[in-house]
Amino acid sequence: MNTIFRKQLVLYLGTLAISLGFLGVMLAQVIRIYVTEQRIAILTDSSVRVSEVLEGVTHFGIFDVNRLNNEVLAMQQFLDARLLIISTDFTVIGTSGGLVDEQMPVYHETLQPLMLGETIVANGTLDGIYLEPLLTVGRPIWAGDTVVAAVLVSTSMHELETTISEMHRLTLLCLLGSAVVATVLIYFWSLSLSRPLSQINDAARIIASGNLEKRISIKTIKTIKPTKPAKEVVQLAKSFNSMAESLQEQKQTQRTFIANLSHDIRSPLTSVRGFLQAISDGTIPPERQNYYISLVLDESDRIIKLANSLLELNFVQESTLKLSTFNVVALIRKIVLAFEPQATIKNLQIKCNFAHETDIIEADYDKIHRVIYNLVDNSAKFVPHGGEIIIETSIKTNSKNPNGKNAEQLLQVSIQDNGRGISLADQSKIFERFFKGDQSRNEHKAGNGLGLPIVKEIITAHGGQIFVDSAEQNGCLITFSIPLTQKNFQ
């Protein structure tokens, strides 16, 4: 029996036992009160009938003793109760027999209200008046407006307790039967819940030990008999599998990251070492040394750029945004001007189509500048001589709530070129660290594959999204969106 099942079973059974115990105590009290009140109601009704009959055997407040005794004996047979008639001086004038010691006085303070015209309810022996404990209802007997006697109608407390005990026994049997059924249901329900939880727990331990390929069988969890686990447990298993897949992907990404980082660092270092070794042992003649020293400096710059890019990527992920409000169109125009020398060399045409001249955003100015600059720079690298780059802005409504009262307005910026494009297989990877398509590796070895991951991190930090739409030999379109400020609508 696993720990989860045992704890769950103990918890449920403990809760059941406490609940049924509390319910049993409450039912016992309710039964006692109900049976007692019912018996008092019967005795009260009987006392009313007896007093009415006995009022008929009085004459000016004087009882006909023979008639009184006859009436008492007759009523005792059909009332199933014991009768005691006392006078106003608390002497016995009639009894069903064996009820009291007729030689003893029957005065008790409990009986005093009878002579004042009140009805009483009492139980016990009344300090020895009765020979055994009785439940008694007393009622005055009237002659006109005067109380001339009182009748006490009683039933044995032993009989009452016997009735209550029998009802308690039946109630206890019902509770025990319910407890047995509930225990069986709880057992199987706990089993159906604990099994998938145990599977998840075991899988978590396996994954924690380093085996990220472990998965939970959702089909097995769904078919556990005799009862099905809650939907939340199945959802938990699905979430666990999703987490395991994510961890496995992250581990693979980490391995790829380390492999690419090692490659990008090892290559320039190997070149640097080789050039320096050749200069040191005299393989390279003095007149050629300056040329190779310049190559060493170039490779050193590659390593420095790689280190700076890694630091920037880490900085983007961990730093907070320095928000300010600015005109993104003015920023784009500034960046386009910075590319004029490069555009002139390659005879590039950079066109701009803006939705408005004053699209205001609240963002980190330096980081958005880096995003747009990187995307334009990528396009400038891969378009052919005499190519074209088109930068456009547009206003879009957040598709998650297009008709809502507080629908979010987004600024969308697109950079499109007519270069060779990106293959479909590479489009899903271009935002991964160190990823460089084959063509970019061949012609632009200075790149380190960190530019677009940095762009994506920046856009994500601003609550935006970035997409790529491309086809080989048909150019590339990269679009990102970030929220507009309310100043655009004032």
Side-chain angles (χ1 to χ4, degrees):
M1 183 182 294
N2 62 64
T3 303
I4 296 177
F5 173 72
R6 183 171 61 252
K7 290 181 177 179
Q8 196 172 41
L9 186 62
V10 170
L11 175 62
Y12 286 162
L13 290 181
T15 303
L16 176 66
I18 293 173
S19 301
L20 289 180
F22 179 77
L23 179 61
V25 172
M26 294 299 296
L27 285 176
Q29 294 298 320
V30 169
I31 290 171
R32 175 172 292 278
I33 293 172
Y34 174 79
V35 172
T36 302
E37 288 182 350
Q38 286 293 104
R39 189 58 60 91
I40 290 174
I42 293 172
L43 293 177
T44 300
D45 183 63
S46 299
S47 68
V48 171
R49 286 186 286 170
V50 171
S51 63
E52 289 175 351
V53 171
L54 295 183
E55 286 172 1
V57 299
T58 63
H59 184 67
F60 298 106
I62 301 173
F63 285 96
D64 183 335
V65 177
N66 291 329
R67 287 185 60 192
L68 176 66
N69 289 329
N70 290 335
E71 292 292 346
V72 168
L73 291 174
M75 286 185 290
Q76 180 188 356
Q77 294 179 358
F78 73 84
L79 286 179
D80 190 24
R82 304 179 186 186
L83 304 177
L84 178 66
I85 296 90
I86 58 176
S87 64
T88 55
D89 59 358
F90 298 100
T91 58
V92 177
I93 58 176
T95 179
S96 58
L99 187 63
V100 298
D101 185 351
E102 297 184 22
Q103 303 300 319
M104 292 180 62
V106 294
Y107 175 77
H108 190 270
E109 60 182 10
T110 306
L111 306 179
Q112 184 65 40
L114 288 171
M115 304 312 167
L116 300 177
E118 299 177 12
T119 301
I120 66 165
V121 177
N123 61 67
T125 63
L126 299 182
D127 292 341
I129 293 178
Y130 291 130
L131 300 179
E132 62 174 309
L134 301 175
L135 176 64
T136 301
V137 173
R139 186 177 181 84
I141 300 174
W142 300 82
D145 296 332
T146 304
V147 176
V148 296
V151 59
L152 302 177
V153 183
S154 305
T155 188
S156 172
M157 288 295 292
H158 175 72
E159 295 176 2
L160 182 64
E161 290 295 335
T162 300
T163 301
I164 293 174
S165 298
E166 183 63 22
M167 294 190 69
H168 283 171
R169 187 181 69 83
L170 293 176
T171 302
L172 180 61
L173 289 176
C174 291
L175 289 176
L176 289 176
S178 300
V180 171
V181 174
T183 299
V184 173
L185 294 177
I186 286 174
Y187 177 85
F188 287 111
W189 176 252
S190 299
L191 191 63
S192 67
L193 285 178
S194 63
R195 281 181 178 175
L197 290 176
S198 296
Q199 290 183 29
I200 294 173
N201 185 50
D202 294 340
R205 291 178 179 176
I206 294 174
I207 289 177
S209 67
N211 182 7
L212 298 180
E213 296 182 357
K214 177 64 179 178
R215 297 293 183 272
I216 299 170
S217 174
I218 303 297
K219 184 177 180 180
T220 301
I221 291 178
K222 285 185 176 181
T223 56
I224 291 177
K225 300 297 181 179
T227 59
K228 293 184 179 181
K231 293 181 180 179
E232 289 79 4
V233 178
V234 176
Q235 184 59 45
L236 175 61
K238 291 180 179 179
S239 299
F240 185 91
N241 286 342
S242 177
M243 179 199 69
E245 291 172 2
S246 178
L247 289 173
Q248 190 172 22
E249 291 175 0
Q250 290 180 18
K251 186 174 182 179
Q252 182 60 42
T253 301
Q254 183 182 26
R255 289 174 176 172
T256 304
F257 173 83
I258 293 173
N260 290 336
L261 180 60
S262 300
H263 175 271
D264 283 3
I265 291 179
R266 185 173 61 249
S267 296
L269 286 178
T270 301
S271 299
V272 167
R273 186 180 185 281
F275 293 147
L276 292 177
Q277 183 66 41
I279 293 173
S280 175
D281 60 20
T283 303
I284 298 176
E287 63 274 12
R288 296 283 295 169
Q289 287 182 4
N290 286 337
Y291 171 74
Y292 284 99
I293 288 174
S294 67
L295 293 180
V296 169
L297 291 175
D298 289 341
E299 294 300 321
S300 299
D301 287 340
R302 284 183 59 191
I303 297 175
I304 292 173
K305 288 180 181 179
L306 176 61
N308 289 337
S309 295
L310 286 172
L311 289 173
E312 183 178 2
L313 181 59
N314 183 67
F315 177 75
V316 168
Q317 291 175 327
E318 298 183 358
S319 65
T320 57
L321 299 176
K322 298 178 181 179
L323 299 178
S324 62
T325 302
F326 58 90
N327 186 346
V328 73
V329 173
L331 174 61
I332 294 174
R333 290 190 184 279
K334 180 179 177 180
I335 293 172
V336 170
L337 286 174
F339 274 92
E340 278 192 0
Q342 187 175 346
T344 301
I345 294 173
K346 293 188 68 172
N347 192 25
L348 302 178
Q349 293 187 26
I350 302 180
K351 300 179 180 180
C352 296
N353 297 319
F354 301 128
H356 309 94
E357 284 296 327
T358 56
D359 286 328
I360 306 300
I361 62 173
E362 185 177 20
D364 189 313
Y365 183 89
D366 292 334
K367 287 184 171 61
I368 296 300
H369 182 284
R370 177 64 187 269
V371 167
I372 299 173
Y373 187 93
N374 276 14
L375 294 177
V376 175
D377 185 52
N378 275 350
S379 293
K381 286 179 181 178
F382 299 115
V383 294
H385 187 83
E388 183 181 69
I389 299 174
I390 302 175
I391 304 174
E392 294 184 336
T393 65
S394 58
I395 308 300
K396 301 294 182 182
T397 301
N398 191 337
S399 60
K400 293 181 180 179
N401 189 22
N403 301 316
K405 190 174 182 180
N406 298 317
E408 186 179 36
Q409 298 295 309
L410 303 175
L411 172 69
Q412 189 167 281
V413 180
S414 301
I415 293 91
Q416 185 173 12
D417 62 62
N418 62 346
R420 64 170 58 92
I422 305 171
S423 68
L424 185 62
D426 288 348
Q427 287 180 34
S428 61
K429 303 176 183 177
I430 63 171
F431 295 110
E432 296 178 4
R433 299 177 185 182
F434 291 107
F435 176 78
K436 294 184 284 188
D438 293 337
Q439 292 174 340
S440 65
R441 280 186 179 274
N442 291 335
E443 296 184 17
H444 298 280
K445 296 181 180 179
N448 53 39
L450 292 174
L452 288 178
I454 291 174
V455 166
K456 184 176 181 181
E457 290 290 343
I458 293 173
I459 295 300
T460 302
H462 281 82
Q465 293 180 303
I466 186 167
F467 310 95
V468 59
D469 184 11
S470 180
E472 288 187 89
Q473 308 305 322
N474 287 319
C476 177
L477 171 64
I478 294 183
T479 303
F480 70 87
S481 61
I482 52 177
L484 278 168
T485 67
Q486 292 298 316
K487 291 183 179 181
N488 291 276
F489 314 107
Q490 295 176 355

